[in-house]
Amino acid sequence: MSLLDHFSAELDELKQQGNFRQFTQNVQHGRFITIQNKTMLNLASNDYLGLAADINLRQEFLDSFPIERSYFSSSSSRLLTGNFEEYEQLENSLSQAFSGRAALLFNSGYHMNIGILPAVADSKTLILADKLVHASMIDGIRLSGAQYVRYRHNDLQHLEQLLQKYHEDDKIERIIVVTESIFSMDGDETDLAALVQLKKRFAKTMLYVDEAHSIGVRGQQGLGCAEQYNVIQEIDFLVGTLGKALAAVGGYIICDPIIKDYLINKMRPLIFSTAQPPIVIAWADFIFQKVLASQSQREHLKNISQYLQQAVVQKGYDSPSTSHIIPVIVGESQAAIDKAKQVQKSGFYAMPVRPPTVPKNSSRLRISLTSMVQQHELEELVSFL
Ligand SMILES: *Cc1c(COP(=O)(O)O)cnc(C)c1O
């Protein structure tokens, strides 16, 4: 009997269920991805504006960035000696874009969500979270020790009932409503304007909105659904990642300066982890300026997304999407795997998503579009669905 037997038995069980995960190596070039010598159109990318794929941008950045400032490590938390000027530059850029609100950076979106919620939520806080929020928020909620209740996905009526029920409870001092704006598996979105109206009726309520899939993509300047629906000022914790459309790595919050100071004092992943490499943050700032001006990419992405949403429904599939993330829901786990194999064979790289990531009987092919994809390529894809 080896101590490893337990672990290998668990792995065998995953293999039997067809749920064993492993890394696959790939090479990416523009909108294409090559896996095991097969080159396909990449329909599984988070590089929504094509900025990470753009070789000329990388060249432009490296040519403009002095080697003396090219630090590949900050060697410390920002509270010790790690606070290089690059962080404050990017925070200033964000703050300026987001109507003068305060901005604070984190090492990743995951760090952000597992760090902010435990810092701000205590035993007198109730968290009300959408049933489908990202794992990082679930982990943050669990770490927080706050009471929490999930409301049915995107069901603001259910949320309202819960607010009515708990708002009168004197033991609860604060209620934090946690949601995403665009959801990563269904590609549907929260009605942020209605959410803000709801919050205004319940004085103890604060809003926590993760814009991971909408930053760069939505709004005139790409500031997300909060810009699109004109509610930047109303969301107490407006968070997002630098790792998707922003073509870098990291997370950010837009908030009141009091919340920023509070997080600097209380948020453990911020205090106890070496800050990002300054060169990555300089790159993110460089990219952020490009994002602000990427209207034509956003417009193109919107057009091809609408085309594919309609085509998928016309083909008879369920698809709740109103965004560039478009699931083709087929039901059975095996059906999703088969569908993925079939489209991959035809030259389109999209991945199957199955339980437990999504509810039973809603296995799907998940397509995520970027502005690099062309309409005629999607027309060909649709013919294979
Ligand atoms: C991707 C994602 C994250 C994690 O962000 P990283 O920067 O990749 O750690 C958090 N929340 C949501 C909704 C995401 O989709």
Side-chain angles (χ1 to χ4, degrees), residues 108-167:
S108 74
Y110 184 79
H111 269 85
M112 161 188 97
N113 283 333
I114 64 159
I116 297 173
L117 288 165
V120 300
D122 59 14
S123 61
K124 292 179 184 140
T125 307
L126 171 71
I127 293 176
L128 297 176
D130 186 286
K131 188 80 173 63
L132 291 190
V133 293
H134 190 262
S136 54
M137 280 172 271
I138 300 295
D139 293 355
I141 291 168
R142 286 187 180 148
L143 282 169
S144 75
Q147 317 169 53
Y148 82 99
V149 178
R150 315 279 291 271
Y151 60 92
R152 286 191 295 272
H153 174 53
N154 236 341
D155 186 341
L156 295 187
Q157 262 177 343
H158 188 207
L159 175 61
E160 182 177 354
Q161 286 165 11
L162 293 171
L163 283 168
Q164 265 156 358
K165 174 171 170 193
Y166 290 107
H167 201 260

